[in-house]
Amino acid sequence: MRAKRYVRTWLELLPGITAAALAVPAVSAMPAVHAAPAPSPVALAARTSSSRTNGPAPPVPAEPPDADAQVPAVARLWPVGTRPSVLRAWQPPATPYGRGHRGVDLAAAPGAPVRSVAPGRVSFAGRVAGRGAVAVELAGTGDPPLRTTFTPVRATVRKGDEVAAGEVLGTLEADGSHCPTSCLHWGLLRDRTYLDPLSLLPSWLLHRAPSRLLPVPTARRQP
């Protein structure tokens, strides 16, 4: 009687044991799930930098260029007069789009002739924002060449003209919007970089005093 009870109990438990045995391979066949590795310090720094950047990076401040290294002293004369007064000097901007004075202002009267300071080719002659302007690419100054600009000037040359040192480019126009008195704004660029135009002048021309008329000595009359 007791043996029959044991047999009946095993028959009742047999389906459950079989199902459990069949489920073990299925569980073991599932792919193991591994935890993602911790990001490296370099990756974290890159993510932090990327999250802080919105749009294009701001322009890097431009250092004042070394005039001696970038600008050869090829000028043979001043663009106006013999030794004009510099009303405002060159002040390079701290950034490409910052405030500054991208050239020098030379005192000159309206109608004064404006000359090319060195040999070159006229790359522009016309009007910009209502003001006359002339630009000359200077010969033998590298690639891209140095480019001098003059405003406000009523041009007497055309784009493409070859000019010599001292050749007249036009006459100074009256314009009271830039200087308190009449002046020529003289600029210098290499490609899109502004440079000091006074560095085109050799030291003997830059520091030469203006010419002065001296009295002519006369012989003393004998009594």
Side-chain angles (χ1 to χ4, degrees):
M1 190 70 178
R2 184 176 298 176
K4 291 181 179 180
R5 186 180 303 171
Y6 288 156
V7 172
R8 187 183 303 168
T9 301
W10 277 104
L11 290 176
E12 292 175 354
L13 295 177
L14 183 61
I17 296 173
T18 305
L22 293 175
V24 171
V27 173
S28 62
M30 294 178 63
V33 179
H34 299 284
S40 64
V42 176
L44 286 174
R47 292 178 186 176
T48 303
S49 176
S50 176
S51 64
R52 292 178 181 177
T53 302
N54 297 319
V60 179
E63 297 181 358
D66 184 356
D68 294 336
Q70 299 192 29
V71 181
V74 297
R76 295 295 174 262
L77 72 166
W78 289 82
V80 287
T82 56
R83 181 61 172 88
S85 299
V86 178
L87 301 179
R88 186 179 178 186
W90 179 65
Q91 297 173 347
T95 64
Y97 304 101
R99 298 183 63 181
H101 192 231
R102 297 167 172 83
V104 296
D105 294 335
L106 305 178
V114 178
R115 301 179 293 269
S116 178
V117 298
R121 182 183 65 87
V122 177
S123 59
F124 179 83
R127 306 197 72 79
V128 178
R131 304 175 69 199
V134 177
V136 177
E137 293 180 349
L138 303 182
T141 56
D143 184 22
L146 292 172
R147 184 170 75 257
T148 54
T149 60
F150 309 93
T151 55
V153 175
R154 185 177 300 277
T156 56
V157 292
R158 296 181 179 180
K159 181 179 179 180
D161 287 352
E162 300 288 337
V163 294
E167 186 167 344
V168 175
L169 305 173
T171 56
L172 184 65
E173 294 181 330
D175 182 15
S177 62
H178 187 73
C179 298
T181 60
S182 179
C183 74
L184 171 72
H185 182 78
W186 180 24
L188 176 66
L189 302 93
R190 187 185 293 279
D191 195 13
R192 297 183 179 181
T193 301
Y194 286 88
L195 302 167
D196 185 2
L198 293 183
S199 40
L200 286 171
L201 300 171
S203 58
W204 63 267
L205 186 59
L206 182 62
H207 303 293
R208 186 178 65 182
S211 301
R212 293 185 301 170
L213 296 177
L214 300 177
V216 177
T218 57
R220 295 184 61 184
R221 299 177 63 182
Q222 296 295 330

